[in-house]
Amino acid sequence: MISVEEALGHIFALSKPLGTEVISLAEAAGRVLAVPAKARRDQPPFNASAMDGYALKGIESDLHAQFKVIGESAAGAGFQGRVGAGQCVRIFTGAPVPEGTDKVVIQENTSRSGDTITITDDPGQASHIRQQGADFSVGAEVSAPRVLRPADLALLAAMNVAEVTVSTRPQVAIIATGNELVMPGEEPGPDQIVASNSFGLKAMIEAEGGIARMLPIARDTEASLKQVFALAEGADLVLTIGGASVGDHDLVGQVAADLGMDQSFYKVAMRPGKPLMAGRMGNAAMIGLPGNPVSALVCGQVFVLPALRAMMGLGQAPAPRKTAPLASDLPANGPREHYMRARLTNEGLDAFGSQDSALLTVLSEARALIARPPHDPARNAGELVEYLPV
Ligand SMILES: Nc1nc2c(c(=O)[nH]1)N[C@H]1C(S)=C(S)[C@@H](COP(=O)(O)OP(=O)(O)OC[C@H]3O[C@@H](n4cnc5c(N)ncnc54)[C@H](O)[C@@H]3O)O[C@H]1N2
Ligand code: MOO
């Protein structure tokens, strides 16, 4: 059995960055910017007023000084002309600051009578002017790779970047296997259960930026598995669920090998998730996930999501970890890396009493997977440990 780290290394070797595509900014939320984008203008593009008030010469802005209002500068329609001594221009937030002025006195500090204003309160030192290019200048870069967040999209729009080059979304085919499975909504027979793992994995993949395709459930026969594998054609990543262990009906590894899968590894020293396999199948990476629901979803966090991020050009990094204190004691760990389902309370990480890899109720309540290294000694409440947020 290989370690989680070694298995992840193999999976990264199978997960090369895919291509790129150019899309409109409105479609780009959550996508991975693949090529740096450059500002096509300054922002603000001119010295702009930060307040509603009067633009004038700062040197003249004494308390009780009076000015003649000679025009108006509004956002989108600036004042054309020069402002001379003793003159001012009515100005609004976002409007260009007229030539000859270098200060905006806010209107609360003035009184107006006809075309004359008087400064009635100390206008202070602030100019209330945003200098041209204060936010960014033409040519400024939004670096890549990065996942485009709402603020990035707003920034790119302000830069007048209407289209961006992003990484292609990985296509992931999901194949649930097993004679016992029916789809939600169907009527299970007496020995059957409802397929659940595909739904959790699909959600996980889509939240990360992949496109998940749920294929029909494959039965535990060579013919059925081959038929469904054929439907995965075109996928960048083929995920199977179940049939990975050593039972008589666990045929996934055998059938995948018959179809030419070049296996990178089988079995990882982790809990849950031991019977994990991966390899290359034609142009696609293949990851064979264990059938137990928690095992499949934990392997999704630990292996599938990092693989997707690598395919989207985000580099080869394990699932991000955080650190928190334990809220309760933990017994010593065995020989496999253990991802313990835990609550995240104000006191810290509180591992669930039952860590059975069949319990979806526990996983659904969990907000953390405490990552215990192999042979980690017993830990006391208060000790800092690493966990994966889920
Ligand atoms: N003799 C041994 N038996 C088992 C071993 C072992 O090392 N030696 N490993 C155990 C571990 S650990 C796991 S995990 C499971 C994994 O087995 P498989 O990947 O072959 O999975 P299945 O046997 O097909 O299913 C296991 C369990 O999960 C349910 N299942 C399967 N697919 C789904 C699905 N899409 N949605 C919901 N539930 C699913 C299935 O009905 C079984 O209950 O093997 C242990 N055995
Ligand atoms: O390791 Mo299996 O994946 O726990 O139930």
Side-chain angles (χ1 to χ4, degrees):
M1 255 190 295
I2 61 172
S3 69
V4 170
E5 196 183 342
E6 285 171 283
L8 198 55
H10 284 296
I11 283 179
F12 285 141
L14 299 166
S15 311
K16 295 301 169 209
L18 306 173
T20 62
E21 58 182 323
V22 177
I23 60 168
S24 83
L25 196 59
E27 307 299 320
R31 298 294 298 269
V32 176
L33 185 71
V35 174
K38 279 194 166 60
R40 301 178 59 219
R41 64 202 318 263
D42 295 346
Q43 177 69 4
F46 41 74
N47 294 342
S49 179
M51 293 293 208
D52 299 318
Y54 296 90
L56 42 78
K57 285 184 181 22
I59 201 163
E60 297 177 352
S61 61
D62 299 325
L63 192 58
H64 308 308
Q66 293 197 321
F67 298 84
K68 185 170 178 358
V69 183
I70 62 166
E72 179 181 294
S73 180
F79 174 77
Q80 306 302 322
R82 230 194 126 71
V83 179
Q87 297 180 331
C88 70
V89 161
R90 177 75 171 120
I91 196 163
F92 301 103
T93 305
V97 173
E99 242 185 281
T101 70
D102 56 11
K103 186 180 180 78
V104 172
V105 176
I106 64 172
Q107 67 194 55
E108 293 89 327
N109 291 344
T110 65
S111 70
R112 181 164 176 168
S113 167
D115 279 348
T116 303
I117 62 154
T118 306
I119 297 180
T120 51
D121 291 281
D122 178 8
Q125 292 305 305
S127 71
H128 299 305
I129 291 171
R130 299 190 174 118
Q131 295 300 316
Q132 176 176 352
D135 197 2
F136 55 80
S137 299
V138 63
E141 254 187 32
V142 175
S143 65
R146 69 163 71 200
V147 178
L148 291 171
R149 299 170 309 124
D152 300 322
L153 297 170
L155 173 60
L156 289 162
M159 290 176 159
N160 203 8
V161 174
E163 292 184 324
V164 282
T165 304
V166 294
S167 304
T168 309
R169 296 175 69 185
Q171 303 262 356
V172 185
I174 303 176
I175 304 176
T177 74
N179 292 336
E180 74 278 30
L181 302 177
V182 299
M183 288 297 272
E186 291 176 4
E187 198 52 55
D191 298 336
Q192 289 191 301
I193 61 163
V194 181
S196 55
N197 300 348
S198 324
F199 289 83
L201 288 162
K202 181 173 187 284
M204 205 182 259
I205 289 159
E206 288 175 347
E208 204 63 31
I211 299 172
R213 194 151 49 95
M214 244 191 246
L215 299 185
I217 295 168
R219 300 306 165 191
D220 293 324
T221 65
E222 280 188 36
S224 177
L225 279 164
K226 283 184 175 162
Q227 207 177 7
V228 182
F229 266 120
L231 297 175
E233 181 66 33
D236 302 301
L237 174 61
V238 179
L239 289 184
T240 59
I241 306 163
S245 189
V246 294
D248 295 348
H249 303 281
D250 294 334
L251 302 173
V252 168
Q254 182 54 50
V255 171
D258 290 350
L259 294 173
M261 193 256 271
D262 180 15
Q263 193 173 88
S264 306
F265 66 84
Y266 174 49
K267 289 200 175 166
V268 180
M270 71 185 285
R271 204 177 145 208
K274 181 177 68 172
L276 184 79
M277 72 178 84
R280 173 150 295 284
M281 264 184 120
N283 292 325
M286 184 267 183
I287 301 180
L289 299 167
N292 278 323
V294 178
S295 314
L297 293 176
V298 168
C299 287
Q301 292 281 341
V302 174
F303 297 106
V304 177
L305 296 186
L308 292 183
R309 289 191 281 267
M311 287 180 178
M312 291 188 292
L314 289 169
Q316 303 186 343
R321 292 183 177 196
K322 292 185 172 178
T323 303
L326 286 173
S328 44
D329 298 350
L330 288 181
N333 189 26
R336 295 190 268 156
E337 189 158 315
H338 195 180
Y339 292 86
M340 300 183 80
R341 281 69 79 194
R343 288 195 178 88
L344 193 48
T345 68
N346 289 340
E347 288 70 46
L349 294 159
D350 189 18
F352 286 91
S354 176
Q355 294 289 327
D356 184 330
S357 62
L359 302 180
L360 279 173
T361 44
V362 170
L363 186 61
S364 167
E365 286 299 309
R367 291 295 173 273
L369 299 173
I370 302 173
R372 310 277 315 275
H375 305 293
D376 191 37
R379 299 277 170 195
N380 298 321
E383 281 192 71
L384 286 179
V385 293
E386 289 191 342
Y387 71 96
L388 279 60
V390 288

